[in-house]
Amino acid sequence: MITLYRWNSSANAGQWTNSPDLPDRCGIPEGEIWWIDLESPTPEEDARILEHVLALHPLTVEDITKPRREPGDGLHFPKVEEFADYLFVIVNPLGEPQAPDEPLSEITAGGTQLSAVLNRHLLVTHHYRPLASVKRVREFLDRHAQQAQRGPDYLFHLILDGMVDDYAPEIDRLVERLDEIETELFDQPSAHVLSELIRLKRRLVMFRKTLILEREVLARLIRGEFELVDDREMAYYRNVYDHLVRYAELTEGAREMVSDLMQTHLAAVSNKLNGIMKAMAMVSTVILPMSLVSGIYGMNFKHMPELEWEWGYPMALGMMAALAVGFVGLFYWKKWL
């Protein structure tokens, strides 16, 4: 779906168009700012906007459409590139957030790809899944249409800011789950807990990798390296960069916590196994002397004085009981029980 937002400075108003009638080559009228959003576009819509309307470089088109050409793991990692007449940025947002009561999904960080192309008067965003950050910017423009006059770099900052803030609740949920697992480890360590820890660690590693790469993208955007990012917008991009650094640090802390919990799990399992082996050794120690007595009196020798004795059988049972009680008492005295 193609959505066009047009800001007209002379009319001091903006309007949305769901099926924009764009020319073959995008000629934006003087005094207008355009935002073209492509959400889950068809191949025909991709070709129309990226190749005919914008006439982007073939390498840019290839990077933008990579998720369609390579389903599954075909996402491009975050990057920023400057061309002669436009700036090209790729980031990996989370997509639509989960409800608070839903279990943690298997979708890793960077579950989708957001590609952006911007120049002085135009912002183009491209994504194959709905994005909460894009939706919020649309709602923001409905309430504050005049903010569009600040240019595509400001609109793109709003999308980046929302995208980065979407990491916060997901990271919080991961940390809360790790706290719950920590309690479970001391109560009942199990293979299921270890499997979940491995899954969470894999997810946090992807989080960390994505955040580090996006941090590098923001670092380039705030250095004044690109003319298409206005100086007055640098402060806003720096604010997004600060948030990104903080979330990257939280992710690193959570990743270390997962590693510690995995070590704790192994220690708890080992300690539990030691307890089992200790109990089995004690049982064996108690039974061993009883087996010795029963073995001695189970021998088939003809001349054994106790065989003909009236109290021989009770004596043997008494000896075995006395040995068992004696060893159990020894274990208690040694505080092994």
Side-chain angles (χ1 to χ4, degrees):
M1 181 180 67
I2 303 175
T3 305
L4 170 64
Y5 182 81
R6 300 178 62 174
W7 164 260
N8 191 309
S9 59
S10 59
N12 196 30
Q15 64 177 0
W16 291 99
T17 305
N18 289 330
S19 300
D21 185 14
L22 299 175
D24 288 341
R25 295 300 298 272
C26 190
I28 300 178
E30 187 67 26
E32 288 195 4
I33 301 294
W34 286 15
W35 173 23
I36 302 175
D37 181 57
L38 292 88
E39 179 179 314
S40 302
T42 63
E44 293 74 18
E45 290 174 332
D46 277 339
R48 177 188 176 194
I49 299 298
L50 304 179
E51 299 178 19
H52 300 294
V53 174
L54 300 178
L56 299 179
H57 193 283
L59 292 177
T60 301
V61 176
E62 182 179 346
D63 290 342
I64 290 175
T65 58
K66 185 178 181 182
R68 167 176 282 136
R69 293 180 291 102
E70 302 177 20
D73 297 330
L75 301 180
H76 205 297
F77 286 119
K79 71 172 184 176
V80 54
E81 292 180 343
E82 186 177 29
F83 290 82
D85 54 349
Y86 64 88
L87 189 64
F88 175 49
V89 183
I90 291 180
V91 289
N92 296 143
L94 290 174
E96 288 286 0
Q98 295 175 301
D101 56 343
E102 289 182 2
L104 293 172
S105 69
E106 294 293 339
I107 299 175
T108 59
T112 188
Q113 175 178 317
L114 171 64
S115 307
V117 176
L118 63 155
N119 57 30
R120 290 296 181 187
H121 305 285
L122 172 68
L123 170 64
V124 177
T125 52
H126 181 285
H127 47 101
Y128 289 108
R129 290 177 55 199
L131 297 179
S133 56
V134 172
K135 180 180 178 181
R136 285 195 294 266
V137 175
R138 290 181 181 179
E139 296 172 350
F140 175 80
L141 290 178
D142 289 335
R143 299 190 306 270
H144 309 283
Q146 69 279 3
Q147 294 296 321
Q149 67 181 331
R150 299 182 61 168
D153 52 348
Y154 178 75
L155 295 178
F156 185 52
H157 139 263
L158 293 176
I159 295 174
L160 287 179
D161 189 32
M163 179 202 75
V164 172
D165 288 343
D166 286 339
Y167 285 116
E170 192 71 8
I171 295 174
D172 289 342
R173 294 182 66 190
L174 287 171
V175 173
E176 289 176 3
R177 180 57 188 145
L178 290 176
D179 291 337
E180 295 172 359
I181 291 177
E182 185 176 20
T183 303
E184 294 177 14
L185 281 179
F186 292 102
D187 293 339
Q188 186 63 38
S190 64
H192 170 73
V193 172
L194 181 60
S195 176
E196 185 171 5
L197 283 174
I198 293 174
R199 180 178 66 86
L200 292 177
K201 184 175 182 180
R202 187 185 307 117
R203 189 169 195 199
L204 284 167
V205 168
M206 181 58 74
F207 256 106
R208 179 174 176 270
K209 184 176 182 179
T210 302
L211 290 174
I212 288 177
L213 292 174
E214 289 179 350
R215 186 177 62 187
E216 295 303 316
V217 171
L218 265 297
R220 294 186 63 188
L221 292 174
I222 67 177
R223 283 201 299 258
E225 183 178 340
F226 308 111
E227 294 182 359
L228 290 174
V229 179
D230 196 88
D231 291 341
R232 67 174 180 171
E233 310 301 343
M234 290 293 181
Y236 297 97
Y237 280 90
R238 280 196 294 269
N239 181 62
V240 178
Y241 176 79
D242 292 340
H243 290 178
L244 200 57
V245 170
R246 183 166 69 251
Y247 297 147
E249 292 174 350
L250 290 174
T251 302
E252 179 64 22
R255 190 177 69 90
E256 293 178 358
M257 185 177 180
V258 170
S259 298
D260 292 342
L261 287 177
M262 292 179 71
Q263 294 297 325
T264 302
H265 176 271
L266 294 176
V269 170
S270 177
N271 185 63
K272 183 178 180 180
L273 180 61
N274 289 339
I276 294 174
M277 296 302 295
K278 180 180 178 180
M280 294 179 64
M282 290 181 180
V283 171
S284 299
T285 304
V286 171
I287 294 178
L288 182 62
M290 299 170 63
S291 301
L292 176 64
V293 173
S294 63
I296 291 174
Y297 288 101
M299 294 185 293
N300 295 320
F301 290 106
K302 183 176 182 180
H303 300 287
M304 293 184 68
E306 293 86 352
L307 292 178
E308 302 297 330
W309 186 31
E310 180 181 359
W311 301 100
Y313 179 65
M315 180 203 70
L317 292 179
M319 289 175 60
M320 289 189 282
L323 288 171
V325 172
F327 275 102
V328 171
L330 176 63
F331 295 153
Y332 272 105
W333 180 64
K334 291 288 187 178
K335 298 182 179 179
W336 292 349
L337 292 178

